[in-house]
Amino acid sequence: MQSETPKKIFSSLLVIILDVNPAQDTLLSGEIKLSSILSSVVAFANSHLMLRTHNKVAVLASDPNSCDFIYSDQDELDFKKKTVSSCKMGGSQYELFSHIDRSIKFNIVKFLKDAAEEPHMSRDTVFGASCAKALCYINRLQSNLFPGETMNSRILIISGCDNEGDKYIRCMNTFFTAQKQNVAIDVCSLTHDVTLLKQACYITEGSYFRMPKLEGLLLYLQWIFLTEPSSRKKLVIPLAPQLDFRPFCFCHGTLTAIGFVCSLCLTIYCKISPICTTCEAVFKVRSAIAVKPKKKKIKTTTVNN
Amino acid sequence: MDETEVKEYRWEGGYEKTWEEVKEDEVGNVEWSVKEIIEKSKRLLATRQPNVRLGMMRHLFVIVDSSNSMVEKDLKPTRQLCTYKLLQDFIQDYFDQNPISQLGLITTRNSSAERISELSGNRKYHLEELKKTFGDFNYCNGLMSVQNSLEIALSVMKMLPSHTSKEILIIGSSLSSCDPGEINTTIEMLKTNNIRVSMIHLAAEVRMFRHLCNETKGKHNVIVDDVHFKHILWSLVEPVPLPNSVDASCVKMGFPQELEQKPPFTTCSCHLAEGGKLNAKGFFCPQCNSKYCELPVECKCCGLILVSSLHLARSLHHLVPIKPFIKIELEEGSSAYCYGCRKRIKVPAENVYFCESCKKHYCDGCDIYVHNTLHVCPGCAVKRDEKR
């Protein structure tokens, strides 16, 4: 691809996860069209590429049944194969930008057509799976770097879902992996406050932002999410939201401040129970309580004698 | 555990034809075959059995040999520095993988043993204490005493509740041990307290140490080089299966909220002794309302274990390991995309892996990444019909 240079190369990879779930409130009510979200995303991706020559971008589309790349380095390879003249379309526009625009629009139509064939079983988008895919992609690019090249990566989730039903463990595993690999997860929520995604931002030190109104998506994206997480401290940016880390107990589903945790499977109960319902372990009563009656028995026998 | 006892020494076993594992391809290159062997070893790390009772709450004492023999230069730059570096990584990894577990450090030199850090879940504290003592060039001196250090660990571990997994790891370098009494009585004590002793020896196998590990159902390892040392340490980071005699129990824990105080501000209880600064933010114990600046911690006032739900979530992946992917052969000429990273897999040259539950293809890199680091199969995560 590129000839090896002794110079140090810095690049930044941005993976955008776009929620195209048709059951989003914003899309159902017709307040904003998917096409306008898409054009903002494309413009945002282009402005990220403009910041540095070696910057890379990838886009994932995600809905309740599936998630897939709609722009990745495979599409970029297609671009490099083609001659420059065949790519030229929009007059003076940079060829790569028009290529990104076209391939994203082409792939998302394909994705939506495939998705329409399967009936949707639930309303929640699969963020766990899309983050996992994004991390796999980041991992591959990270391991294919040239010597002397360093790459920062981050993930941006754009969603209008009130998603609470995704699998908790899977999501948490991906968030912790992201944290371990220094991948920040940013979230731009269109309408609802989503606790799960807030936790993702908290864990990976990304930014969370809920749009106060739907107009000007591009403006908000460029204001908050265009800068690298490391330099965001110097900007005036909305504060991170307060988070409550008290868990919901398994038995009653209530918020608990003091809970009882199974030592084998870490299930949280709000009251002591003799058997764990998840792993079927029988809890032993503390020996301190069990020993007492024994002592009494011995005493009584001695008295009788 | 039977396996280690039955295993013979290299020189007692049959003649191993190690070169037969390396096969040539049509052109006569061995590169492909070597790659295969390397990848196999990477995968060995990831194989875990499902449905095993694991000790999620671990208490581990690391006993570090600080005898004269640590100054040897067979590990670069010296045994001491190499161990120090790897031990630092180990402490980090240990708390990453087992956030609600505790660790303590013991060093042994001059025929005696010294507890350099108490059992606690605070990684910064351990790293600082380790730096102060073992990080010092002139620290290693005299002889090692295994029994003294085991006795120190025992005196603490006797008091621990029965549901925790009690483990001791000895990093030994000396071939002898200067002990005050009969070691077999100590071994008996360890056995009755369900303490598992593992050992990593930097030089050679000593019969007594092997016996100690076998009796307490731990693992005895002798390292080949620093890379091997690192691998063995990594294998000890993952939680081990619990012995059957250990009971399950319901542990009372507090989940404090991070709150901001209005003035007047207070100091946190964890830094009170050192004259800590006043700060507004903190976690407040739900039982006695004392303030802490970091989690997880055991409340100094009422003894409640304070954790955040994130700490519990971090350990959960041990309980639901992913099934290994199967290597499959595709027809020559057909092309496959890796479901994880969307890499085009060139079929005859590269391996294709297949997840049985979601029927998706994966490339080499993703297979290792998913099992070793991510712990989520991207294809299975889309499906919703599974438990949890």
Side-chain angles (χ1 to χ4, degrees), chain A residues 6-188:
Chain A
K7 259 199 285 176
K8 277 187 180 174
I9 302 171
F10 293 102
S11 62
S12 159
L13 168 67
L14 172 70
V15 184
I16 303 173
I17 297 173
L18 181 64
D19 185 359
V20 295
N21 186 353
Q24 292 175 68
D25 291 349
T26 45
L27 294 178
L28 283 179
S29 63
E31 282 174 83
I32 191 166
K33 278 182 183 161
L34 186 62
S35 58
S36 68
I37 298 179
L38 204 62
S39 54
S40 303
V41 168
V42 171
F44 178 66
N46 287 347
S47 42
H48 173 74
L49 289 177
M50 244 186 308
L51 288 179
R52 235 185 252 130
T53 0
H54 296 283
N55 277 5
K56 296 178 192 96
V57 80
V59 187
L60 266 158
S62 171
D63 79 350
N65 279 339
S66 57
C67 64
D68 208 356
F69 284 97
I70 53 176
Y71 184 80
S72 69
D73 64 340
Q74 300 295 338
D75 299 293
E76 211 176 304
L77 282 180
D78 290 343
F79 169 70
K80 276 173 186 155
K81 274 183 207 160
K82 282 180 193 165
T83 51
V84 177
S85 58
S86 69
C87 286
K88 234 174 194 163
M89 239 178 69
S92 59
Q93 198 183 18
Y94 177 42
E95 294 87 357
L96 181 63
F97 290 173
S98 59
H99 173 72
I100 289 176
D101 192 21
R102 262 185 300 145
S103 39
I104 285 184
K105 278 178 184 158
F106 175 75
N107 285 331
I108 200 159
V109 169
K110 210 169 104 189
F111 179 81
L112 289 175
K113 269 183 188 164
D114 289 346
E117 282 171 13
E118 281 178 70
H120 287 253
M121 298 307 285
S122 82
R123 293 180 65 235
D124 302 320
T125 314
V126 280
F127 289 120
S130 16
C131 283
K133 268 189 132 177
L135 284 172
C136 281
Y137 181 76
I138 290 169
N139 178 53
R140 172 160 67 88
L141 292 200
Q142 203 88 46
S143 52
N144 286 351
L145 290 181
F146 295 108
E149 194 177 347
T150 47
M151 187 174 82
N152 292 326
S153 332
R154 63 181 197 270
I155 298 174
L156 169 65
I157 300 177
I158 302 173
S159 160
C161 256
D162 54 340
N163 190 330
E164 302 291 350
D166 208 355
K167 294 285 175 285
Y168 181 73
I169 299 181
R170 285 169 190 166
C171 291
M172 281 300 162
N173 283 349
T174 53
F175 300 157
F176 290 129
T177 314
Q179 181 202 22
K180 210 189 273 171
Q181 305 205 311
N182 275 327
V183 176
I185 298 180
D186 299 324
V187 174
C188 179

Side-chain angles (χ1 to χ4, degrees), chain B residues 268-307:
Chain B
C268 51
S269 315
C270 32
H271 292 101
L272 204 57
E274 303 147 32
K277 282 178 198 162
L278 297 174
N279 46 3
K281 267 193 174 179
F283 299 94
F284 292 88
C285 170
Q287 194 160 266
C288 67
N289 219 15
S290 23
K291 183 177 170 185
Y292 294 93
C293 61
E294 263 183 340
L295 293 182
V297 74
E298 196 179 313
C299 181
K300 284 185 181 171
C301 189
C302 63
L304 190 68
I305 303 166
L306 303 179
V307 291

Side-chain angles (χ1 to χ4, degrees), chain B residues 54-242:
Chain B
L54 293 175
M56 300 304 286
M57 293 174 200
R58 303 170 67 186
H59 288 87
L60 173 74
F61 259 115
V62 182
I63 298 172
V64 192
D65 180 1
S66 306
S67 64
N68 242 338
S69 61
M70 265 303 198
V71 200
E72 293 275 336
K73 286 180 180 159
D74 53 357
L75 289 175
K76 296 295 171 219
T78 59
R79 278 186 192 175
Q80 185 193 356
L81 286 179
C82 184
T83 313
Y84 175 54
K85 201 84 208 151
L86 290 176
L87 209 55
Q88 280 178 324
D89 293 345
F90 174 76
I91 292 173
Q92 294 282 9
D93 291 337
Y94 178 82
F95 285 118
D96 273 344
Q97 298 293 315
N98 313 283
I100 48 171
S101 300
Q102 301 196 341
L103 187 112
L105 294 167
I106 295 171
T107 54
T108 162
R109 56 172 183 163
N110 293 333
S111 316
S112 67
E114 193 185 346
R115 193 159 74 217
I116 61 169
S117 70
E118 311 283 333
L119 273 183
S120 105
N122 185 344
R123 72 178 85 185
K124 269 185 213 153
Y125 161 68
H126 293 300
L127 289 173
E128 257 167 44
E129 294 299 318
L130 188 71
K131 193 180 172 189
K132 266 187 235 163
T133 51
F134 194 66
D136 185 7
F137 280 114
N138 302 321
Y139 187 72
C140 293
N141 205 357
L143 295 170
M144 148 166 106
S145 171
V146 169
Q147 194 183 15
N148 280 332
S149 30
L150 286 177
E151 290 288 345
I152 286 187
L154 245 173
S155 65
V156 178
M157 285 191 161
K158 264 184 205 166
M159 307 299 171
L160 293 177
S162 62
H163 61 265
T164 56
S165 163
K166 294 172 242 179
E167 294 157 57
I168 295 175
L169 165 67
I170 309 175
I171 299 177
S173 138
S174 166
L175 291 175
S176 60
S177 167
C178 180
D179 292 345
E182 169 72 283
I183 188 122
N184 281 318
T185 51
T186 315
I187 295 177
E188 281 305 313
M189 284 295 283
L190 290 169
K191 270 165 80 177
T192 49
N193 281 298
N194 271 326
I195 301 175
R196 181 194 296 256
V197 185
S198 299
M199 181 154 196
I200 300 177
H201 208 284
L202 307 186
E205 184 177 316
V206 178
R207 205 202 91 84
M208 201 56 231
F209 297 155
R210 159 77 76 182
H211 177 66
L212 166 68
C213 294
N214 281 349
E215 285 293 303
T216 56
K217 293 182 176 146
K219 278 181 191 157
H220 184 280
N221 284 295
V222 178
I223 62 154
V224 179
D225 55 9
D226 48 351
V227 182
H228 188 217
F229 191 7
K230 200 176 168 183
H231 276 237
I232 292 172
L233 273 178
W234 174 250
S235 70
L236 289 164
V237 164
E238 309 244 305
V240 283
L242 275 180

Side-chain angles (χ1 to χ4, degrees), chain A residues 64-69 71-75 81 107 121-122 124-126 128-129 132-137 139-140 165-174 176-177 179-181 199 202-203 242-247 250 256-269 271-273 278 281-284 286, chain B residues 53-57 96-97 100 161-163 234 242 247-260 281 283 286-287 304 307-317 319-320 337-344 362-363 365-366 369-370 372-388:
Chain A
N65 279 339
S66 57
C67 64
D68 208 356
F69 284 97
Y71 184 80
S72 69
D73 64 340
Q74 300 295 338
D75 299 293
K81 274 183 207 160
N107 285 331
M121 298 307 285
S122 82
D124 302 320
T125 314
V126 280
K133 268 189 132 177
L135 284 172
C136 281
Y137 181 76
N139 178 53
R140 172 160 67 88
D166 208 355
K167 294 285 175 285
Y168 181 73
I169 299 181
R170 285 169 190 166
C171 291
M172 281 300 162
N173 283 349
T174 53
F176 290 129
T177 314
Q179 181 202 22
K180 210 189 273 171
Q181 305 205 311
Q199 293 194 348
Y202 177 86
I203 294 166
Q242 275 281 327
L243 266 180
D244 190 353
F245 284 113
R246 284 176 302 174
F250 270 53
T256 38
I258 298 181
F260 296 90
V261 180
C262 168
S263 66
L264 292 179
C265 67
L266 305 181
T267 311
I268 302 160
Y269 298 98
K271 287 189 182 99
I272 269 198
S273 73
T278 317
V282 181
F283 299 132
K284 203 188 159 195
R286 281 283 164 84
Chain B
R53 295 199 326 160
L54 293 175
M56 300 304 286
M57 293 174 200
D96 273 344
Q97 298 293 315
I100 48 171
S162 62
H163 61 265
W234 174 250
L242 275 180
D247 307 303
S249 88
C250 238
V251 187
K252 195 175 178 186
M253 284 187 186
F255 302 95
Q257 239 181 315
E258 190 173 20
L259 293 174
E260 209 155 329
K281 267 193 174 179
F283 299 94
Q287 194 160 266
L304 190 68
V307 291
S308 133
S309 55
L310 292 183
H311 292 119
L312 295 183
R314 210 176 262 268
S315 319
L316 286 176
H317 74 82
L319 299 169
V320 233
Y337 276 106
C338 167
Y339 186 76
C341 65
R342 207 168 184 248
K343 180 185 172 186
R344 180 177 277 146
Y362 290 95
C363 68
C366 281
Y369 182 66
V370 163
N372 283 8
T373 332
L374 194 57
H375 309 295
V376 178
C377 167
C380 301
V382 174
K383 293 202 300 179
R384 286 177 183 279
D385 43 76
E386 276 171 46
K387 262 196 273 173
R388 279 189 154 188

